[in-house]
Amino acid sequence: MTQPLAFGRKLPLNDWEGDDGHDSWITCSATSAGRAVAWSTNGRLVKDGTVYRNASPGAAPDGGQTLQQVAVGVANIAHLKLIIPVGWQWADVMAHLKVGGGVILAGRYDSMDRAYRYQLAGNFGHRIFCTHYSPTSGIRTYDPLNPDIHSWGRWLPLAVVKGFALSLGHVDAGYVPLQSL
């Protein structure tokens, strides 16, 4: 199958955190950052999330990571900056996605209906990466819990992603600025 494009960019393949060698499924931040770098570089730099996690000092061996910690890994490996905006609202996220800017979002996994989750239990914080918004299809997402490593992400309805992103009571987002095509 030909690699699909959006905004002239190559959609990255999904990266599943279940193959990262951790029993507690703790690499969603780094896995999402890996997809953000792949999107930003138009596929010139594609690394598994564990590469970014392992290059991030301060990552607890049995816990998740903050975007600030992952930003160190992105700088060390990709030599790119992971921007962590302060005070973003949902309108800022949408403005970024409408131009294909790509955004890492955090939220409660159980805020998504079961049909859109890859685990039955969802009572935990999670991060996903979104490449862009389409008025006809919704938001193209990369969920680190999706085991289909041969997929180019998945479309989710706008309302599902918005509910996820607002489930923490604030927008927790990050992005890697797009590199030239």
Side-chain angles (χ1 to χ4, degrees):
M1 179 175 163
T2 304
Q3 188 171 11
L5 301 175
F7 294 88
R9 294 186 172 279
K10 298 173 184 174
L11 288 175
L13 281 170
N14 190 57
D15 179 17
W16 179 47
E17 71 175 322
D19 63 3
D20 290 348
H22 297 279
D23 293 333
S24 53
W25 300 74
I26 55 173
T27 60
C28 64
S29 295
T31 298
S32 293
R35 297 309 84 199
V37 169
W39 176 249
S40 167
T41 64
N42 196 36
R44 291 185 296 272
L45 186 58
V46 179
K47 303 262 185 213
D48 187 87
T50 55
V51 172
Y52 295 104
R53 180 180 176 78
N54 293 339
S56 303
D62 60 348
Q65 290 180 294
T66 65
L67 281 182
Q68 289 78 6
Q69 290 169 320
V70 173
V72 174
V74 169
N76 287 340
I77 298 299
H79 308 290
L80 296 171
K81 186 168 178 82
L82 173 62
I83 306 294
I84 305 165
V86 176
W88 260 22
Q89 303 297 313
W90 179 249
D92 300 302
V93 172
M94 283 303 297
H96 207 69
L97 291 175
K98 284 180 180 178
V99 297
V103 178
I104 299 168
L105 295 172
R108 291 213 30 97
Y109 204 48
D110 55 7
S111 69
M112 292 185 189
D113 292 338
R114 177 65 182 103
Y116 302 112
R117 295 194 321 252
Y118 293 93
Q119 289 187 355
L120 180 60
N123 58 342
F124 53 88
H126 188 52
R127 287 193 200 278
I128 63 173
F129 175 64
C130 307
T131 54
H132 65 288
Y133 165 75
S134 162
T136 56
S137 301
I139 296 177
R140 187 66 160 207
T141 62
Y142 289 79
D143 184 343
L145 293 174
N146 177 356
D148 186 357
I149 59 171
H150 303 290
S151 73
W152 311 102
R154 177 181 180 195
W155 289 109
L156 290 184
L158 170 66
V160 170
V161 178
K162 181 179 182 181
F164 172 78
L166 297 178
S167 65
L168 299 176
H170 65 283
V171 172
D172 182 347
Y175 65 92
V176 176
L178 297 179
Q179 306 301 298
S180 63
L181 290 172

